[in-house]
C-alpha cells in the first residue's frame, strides 16, 4: 500500500525535529567543553583562583645547588621526589649557588649567565607552578672576585629579565601572580619596577615573595650599595604592608611571606644570622643593619592581623620551624611562625638536599602544618632502607 503525502508529512517533521535536536545537543556539548577548558585555563592563571579549595599542599626549598654533586645528582633527585606529589605550587627561596665560586667545577658556580640558565631548567622541570625569589649569592655577592667580579645590579637586572619578565610563574604549569609594578627599585639605568616581588592567593590564603637579602641586605660585603638598599627596602616594606591589606580585604585565613635572608630575630643565631635585641629589634653585633625597619613594620602588621603568619627564609642553612618573634614587652607572638628551609651542606654532598612540604588548610586553626621531606636518593649518613 502506498502512503499519500499527508501520511508521510508527520514522519518528515519527526526526522527534521530529531536532526535539529541532535545538532543542538552537539553545539551544547562543544560550548560546554570550551567553557570548561576556558575555566581551567582561568583557574591556572588567576591569582585569586581556587578560593573554594581550603586544603592543598605546597613545596618549599632553597639555597641549592652549591656543588657539582648537588647540581648533577641532588637536585634531579629532589625534583623527581617533588614531582611525585600533588602540589599546588613550589617556591625556591633564593641562592642558586654557594657564596663563592668553586674552582674546577663542571657546573656553573660563579655568576655567569649559565648559572641562571641552569636554574631556569630546574624550575621548568617541576610539574607544579614554580616560584622563585632571588638570593644574595645570585646577585648581591656577585661582585666578589671569586664569583666573577660582576656588577650586582647588572646581575639583578639579568634575573629580572630571565625569571620575572611576565606575571606568570615558572614550571610546567604556570600560575598568574600579582607583581609590584611601581618603579621603586634600582637597576643599572635607574628606577625600575620590583618585578621580583610577587603575590597570589589560593584557597583563602595569601602568599607573597620579597627581595630581602643576606650579606646585610646589600649594606656590607665587597661592594655595599646604600642607595640600592634604601630604594628596595622601602619598596619591600610597602609590598609587605600592601600584602596584609590585600589579605584582610580578601578575608584570607593566613599569610605566608617568603624571602631569602635570615634577618635575625633574637640573640641566638644559625650560620651568619644577625644578632638583635628581640624587644627593640636593634642589631647588636656591630654590623650594618639592613633589616630593622622591615622587622618593626612586620611586627606591627603581624599583631594587627591576628591570624596565622608564616615567614619562610633560607640563608643560614639550618632547617627549623619555630616562633622567635617577640613583641616590645618580650612576649612571644603566638600567631607568627618562622620557617627555614633545608639548604647547603656543601661538604657533605647531597646530605641536606631536601625540601619541605606544607599542608595548607584554611579551615584549620593554625592553617599551616609542616612535613620535612628527606629525599631517599639524597641520604648520605644513613642510607634509605
Amino acid at each position: 500500500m502506498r502512503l499519500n503525502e499527508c501520511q508521510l508529512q508527520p514522519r518528515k517533521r519527526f526526522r527534521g525535529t530529531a536532526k535539529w535536536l541532535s545538532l543542538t545537543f552537539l553545539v551544547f556539548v562543544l560550548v560546554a567543553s570550551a567553557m570548561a577548558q576556558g575555566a581551567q585555563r582561568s583557574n591556572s592563571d588567576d591569582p585569586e583562583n581556587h578560593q573554594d579549595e581550603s586544603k592543598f599542599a605546597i613545596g618549599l626549598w632553597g639555597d641549592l645547588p652549591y656543588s657539582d654533586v648537588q647540581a648533577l645528582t641532588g637536585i634531579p633527585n629532589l625534583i623527581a621526589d617533588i614531582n611525585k606529589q600533588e602540589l599546588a605550587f613550589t617556591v625556591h627561596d633564593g641562592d642558586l649557588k654557594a657564596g663563592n665560586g668553586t674552582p674546577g667545577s663542571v657546573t656553573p658556580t660563579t655568576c655567569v649567565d649559565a648559572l641562571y640558565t641552569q636554574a631556569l631548567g630546574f624550575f621548568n622541570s617541576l610539574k607544579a607552578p614554580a616560584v622563585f625569589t632571588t638570593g644574595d649569592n645570585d646577585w648581591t655577592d656577585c661582585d666578589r672576585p671569586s664569583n666573577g667580579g660582576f656588577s650586582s645590579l647588572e646581575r639583578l637586572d639579568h634575573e629580572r629579565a630571565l625569571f620575572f619578565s611576565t606575571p606568570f610563574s615558572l614550571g610546567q604549569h604556570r600560575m598568574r601572580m600579582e607583581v609590584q609594578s611601581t618603579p621603586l627599585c634600582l637597576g643599572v639605568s635607574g628606577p625600575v619596577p620590583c618585578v621580583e616581588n610577587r603575590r597570589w592567593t589560593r584557597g583563602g590564603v595569601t602568599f607573597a615573595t620579597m627581595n630581602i637579602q643576606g650579606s646585610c641586605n646589600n649594606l656590607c660585603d665587597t661592594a655595599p650599595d646604600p642607595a640600592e638598599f634604601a630604594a628596595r627596602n622601602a619598596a619591600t616594606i610597602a609590598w609587605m604592608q600592601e600584602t596584609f591589606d590585600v589579605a584582610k580585604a580578601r578575608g584570607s585565613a593566613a599569610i605566608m611571606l617568603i624571602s631569602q635572608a635570615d634577618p635575625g630575630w633574637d640573640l641566638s643565631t644559625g650560620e651568619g644570622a644577625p644578632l638583635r635585641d628581640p624587644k627593640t629589634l636593634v642589631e647588636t653585633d656591630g654590623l650594618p643593619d639592613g633589616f630593622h625597619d622591615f622587622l618593626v613594620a612586620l611586627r606591627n602588621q603581624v599583631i594587627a592581623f591576628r591570624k596565622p603568619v608564616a615567614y619562610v627564609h633560607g640563608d643560614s642553612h639550618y632547617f627549623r620551624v619555630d616562633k622567635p618573634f617577640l613583641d616590645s614587652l618580650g612576649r612571644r607572638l603566638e600567631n607568627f611562625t618562622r620557617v627555614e628551609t633545608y639548604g647547603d651542606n656543601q661538604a657533605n654532598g647531597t646530605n641536606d638536599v631536601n625540601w619541605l612540604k606544607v599542608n595548607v588548610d584554611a579551615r584549620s586553626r593554625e592553617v599551616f602544618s609542616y612535613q620535612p621531606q628527606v629525599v631517599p636518593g639524597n641520604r648520605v649518613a644513613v642510607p634509605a632502607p
Side-chain angles (χ1 to χ4, degrees):
M1 183 176 66
R2 189 170 186 176
L3 300 175
N4 60 37
E5 186 173 344
C6 291
Q7 291 173 309
L8 286 171
Q9 192 63 32
R11 295 185 181 181
K12 290 181 179 179
R13 284 199 301 268
F14 174 78
R15 287 196 298 268
T17 300
K19 185 177 181 181
W20 179 83
L21 288 173
S22 297
L23 289 173
T24 301
F25 178 76
L26 178 61
V27 171
F28 173 81
V29 170
L30 292 174
V31 170
S33 176
M35 290 177 67
Q37 292 176 7
Q40 185 176 8
R41 287 193 296 269
S42 176
N43 282 342
S44 63
D45 294 345
D46 188 349
E48 299 184 45
N49 61 24
H50 305 289
Q51 293 302 304
D52 58 338
E53 294 182 12
S54 62
K55 293 183 180 181
F56 56 95
I58 66 174
L60 302 175
W61 61 303
D63 292 282
L64 294 167
Y66 272 36
S67 65
D68 282 345
V69 68
Q70 290 180 3
L72 297 174
T73 302
I75 296 300
N77 287 345
L78 180 147
I79 289 174
D81 196 52
I82 288 177
N83 282 342
K84 290 177 183 177
Q85 304 208 32
E86 291 294 328
L87 301 176
F89 56 84
T90 67
V91 186
H92 185 293
D93 58 20
D95 275 8
L96 302 173
K97 58 180 290 300
N100 298 290
T102 305
S105 61
V106 176
T107 59
T109 61
T110 65
C111 297
V112 294
D113 286 357
L115 171 74
Y116 310 99
T117 303
Q118 173 183 263
L120 187 63
F122 290 148
F123 297 144
N124 284 336
S125 64
L126 289 162
K127 291 181 180 179
V131 182
F132 168 61
T133 186
T134 60
D136 52 305
N137 291 359
D138 46 78
W139 75 274
T140 67
D141 299 338
C142 287
D143 47 27
R144 295 175 182 173
S146 63
N147 286 327
F150 290 87
S151 160
S152 294
L153 273 184
E154 187 279 328
R155 291 290 80 184
L156 179 56
D157 279 351
H158 181 69
E159 288 193 288
R160 285 168 173 157
L162 184 64
F163 299 119
F164 307 108
S165 61
T166 77
F168 292 92
S169 69
L170 306 169
Q172 294 178 19
H173 293 86
R174 300 187 309 164
M175 172 177 65
R176 190 181 185 94
M177 300 175 287
E178 299 164 73
V179 180
Q180 189 175 26
S181 58
T182 305
L184 297 174
C185 288
L186 287 182
V188 170
S189 301
V192 295
C194 310
V195 292
E196 65 273 22
N197 288 343
R198 302 286 169 119
R199 180 171 53 239
W200 63 102
T201 295
R202 175 143 186 161
V205 177
T206 296
F207 301 83
T209 59
M210 301 173 296
N211 188 344
I212 305 174
Q213 300 307 317
S215 301
C216 311
N217 211 2
N218 209 16
L219 284 180
C220 61
D221 211 270
T222 303
D225 191 340
E228 187 284 326
F229 159 77
R232 178 171 45 83
N233 189 50
T236 299
I237 292 173
W239 187 244
M240 178 270 293
Q241 292 172 330
E242 183 180 305
T243 295
F244 277 89
D245 291 340
V246 167
K248 292 173 185 175
R250 292 176 180 170
S252 293
I255 293 173
M256 178 175 282
L257 304 172
I258 306 155
S259 70
Q260 164 57 202
D262 181 349
W265 307 91
D266 50 30
L267 295 174
S268 64
T269 180
E271 179 185 336
L275 299 176
R276 72 179 62 253
D277 184 315
K279 294 181 182 179
T280 66
L281 298 177
V282 172
E283 192 164 343
T284 61
D285 53 19
L287 294 174
D289 192 349
F291 311 106
H292 174 268
D293 292 348
F294 171 80
L295 288 173
V296 170
L298 175 63
R299 184 162 67 180
N300 291 336
Q301 292 292 332
V302 169
I303 293 171
F305 186 62
R306 301 175 66 180
K307 300 175 184 179
V309 177
Y311 188 95
V312 179
H313 68 79
D315 191 26
S316 47
H317 307 156
Y318 183 79
F319 168 68
R320 52 190 155 185
V321 178
D322 60 9
K323 291 184 175 291
F325 214 5
L326 307 183
D327 70 7
S328 61
L329 298 177
R331 300 173 301 186
R332 200 167 307 282
L333 302 185
E334 297 95 339
N335 65 322
F336 181 88
T337 302
R338 179 265 292 275
V339 181
E340 183 165 2
T341 53
Y342 285 96
D344 157 61
N345 190 333
Q346 191 171 5
N348 288 344
T350 61
N351 189 221
D352 282 334
V353 183
N354 302 308
W355 60 287
L356 179 64
K357 181 178 181 179
V358 183
N359 293 302
V360 185
D361 183 353
R363 297 177 183 175
S364 68
R365 183 169 60 190
E366 299 300 326
V367 181
F368 305 113
S369 60
Y370 305 94
Q371 293 183 342
Q373 302 293 303
V374 177
V375 179
N378 289 343
R379 288 173 57 163
V380 174
V382 182

